[in-house]
Amino acid sequence: MTATEAIDQLRRIAFLLERARAETPRVRAFRRAAQTLAELPGEEFARRVGDGTLTELSGIGPSSAKVATEAYAGETAGYLARLEDEHGPLVAGGESLRAKLRGDLHTHSEWSDGGSPIEEMARTARDLGHEYVALTDHSPRLKVANGLSAERLRRQLEVVRELNAELAPFRILTGIEVDILEDGSLDQDPELLASLDVVVASVHSKLRMPAADMTPRMVAAIANPLVTVLGHCTGRLVTGGRGTRPESSFEADIVFEACRRFGVAVEINSRPERLDPPRRLLRQAVEQGCVFSIDTDAHAPGQLDWQPYGCARAQECEVPADRVINTLPADELLDRIRERRERRTARSSAG
């Protein structure tokens, strides 16, 4: 008997805990236990289950040992069964829109402030039914999030190329969540940004800037031909461990008109502590003819299952499915992004 079933159950527990926003140490304990068992020879696993010494291994505590022992016996661990019962659908509504989504355009890995390797995030996205996921770790200025320098981002692109060869036909789209600097410029080398599939541009600093300054800052970024998505546009936090934070001030009609004109998707951020934009602004963006991207902003595998939050809000605010860009197959999405960049770059060059 191998440890495969025990590893799968431990990972499923961690996934459900992440999805329910459990405390990070609790989640990591189960992921660490799964990793310990993955590195353990099968015969040693069987022996330790038999003599009750799993807890002597680094990373295996009483709870994870009990899960592993029950899994070894061919059972669904009691703890996992309870979690499955407790964690049903996250929210009512948006199911038909969620079924149309082909991918997620805003996710993070352990390369910046996420908690898991790229491969684990990608495999989880695939298992959730996605055809693709965009890896959008932070840009260098966001040091608190271990933002990627140009050199580190280039190394990450090599890793993604290797994983895509292994995971095909599932695709990891190359990307970044790039900071919008105070003057509206982007926090990464333009030539490197141009090589990426997806660029999510977000404000992370000086969020209380007056609307008279924030509006042109955001519009300058939106007008950049390399930007694909405007991330969490108000920057608000409505709940969570970081406390609450009010919306940034900007002239929404001007910002959303820029998104419409330049073909930049307004992100419907599904993180429970963000749920950004607020309903009134989401409805306004719909009325102004914007396109959208429904993303999780996931920093852990279980958070990749948060899209229902965004889908429910999108349905409530009457967002048309044909204006959600991540309902498109990967090739069609990338063709659209590429054509837009070329068209916008040509116009910029022509003055």
Side-chain angles (χ1 to χ4, degrees), residues 11-20 31 124 128 301-302 305:
R11 287 176 173 163
R12 177 64 179 170
I13 288 169
F15 174 91
L16 290 171
L17 290 173
E18 287 167 342
R19 182 175 179 261
R31 289 208 178 277
T124 301
L128 286 169
D305 203 22

Side-chain angles (χ1 to χ4, degrees), residues 137-196:
D137 280 321
H138 288 285
S139 62
R141 177 168 174 174
L142 204 62
K143 296 186 186 302
V144 69
N146 193 27
L148 272 62
S149 65
E151 180 182 353
R152 290 182 64 220
L153 180 54
R154 290 189 183 96
R155 290 204 305 270
Q156 185 183 81
L157 297 181
E158 292 295 329
V159 172
V160 170
R161 273 189 283 271
E162 293 173 3
L163 285 172
N164 274 336
E166 179 182 341
L167 297 174
F170 181 85
R171 294 171 67 172
I172 305 170
L173 305 184
T174 58
I176 191 170
E177 184 181 15
V178 64
D179 270 24
I180 300 174
L181 303 179
E182 285 82 353
D183 62 356
S185 60
L186 305 180
D187 180 37
Q188 190 50 274
D189 176 75
E191 290 186 8
L192 186 51
L193 291 177
S195 73
L196 303 176

Side-chain angles (χ1 to χ4, degrees), residues 120-142:
E120 186 170 5
M121 295 291 289
R123 289 186 183 277
T124 301
R126 180 196 62 187
D127 294 345
L128 286 169
H130 288 322
E131 297 173 16
Y132 55 84
V133 66
L135 175 63
T136 55
D137 280 321
H138 288 285
S139 62
R141 177 168 174 174
L142 204 62

Side-chain angles (χ1 to χ4, degrees), residues 338-349:
R338 191 177 304 111
E339 289 168 4
R340 174 189 165 276
R341 285 181 181 174
E342 291 171 354
R343 185 170 60 252
R344 291 288 327 291
T345 301
R347 288 178 182 173
S348 297
S349 299

Side-chain angles (χ1 to χ4, degrees), residues 200-248:
V200 177
S202 306
V203 173
H204 287 108
S205 62
K206 296 192 176 179
L207 293 168
R208 307 313 304 150
M209 180 181 283
D213 298 320
M214 182 66 82
T215 302
R217 175 186 183 182
M218 295 173 72
V219 169
I222 293 164
N224 190 308
L226 301 178
V227 173
T228 315
V229 177
L230 175 64
H232 46 71
C233 64
T234 77
R236 73 172 187 172
L237 294 175
V238 296
T239 186
R242 290 182 288 174
T244 60
R245 183 167 65 208
E247 301 169 20
S248 294

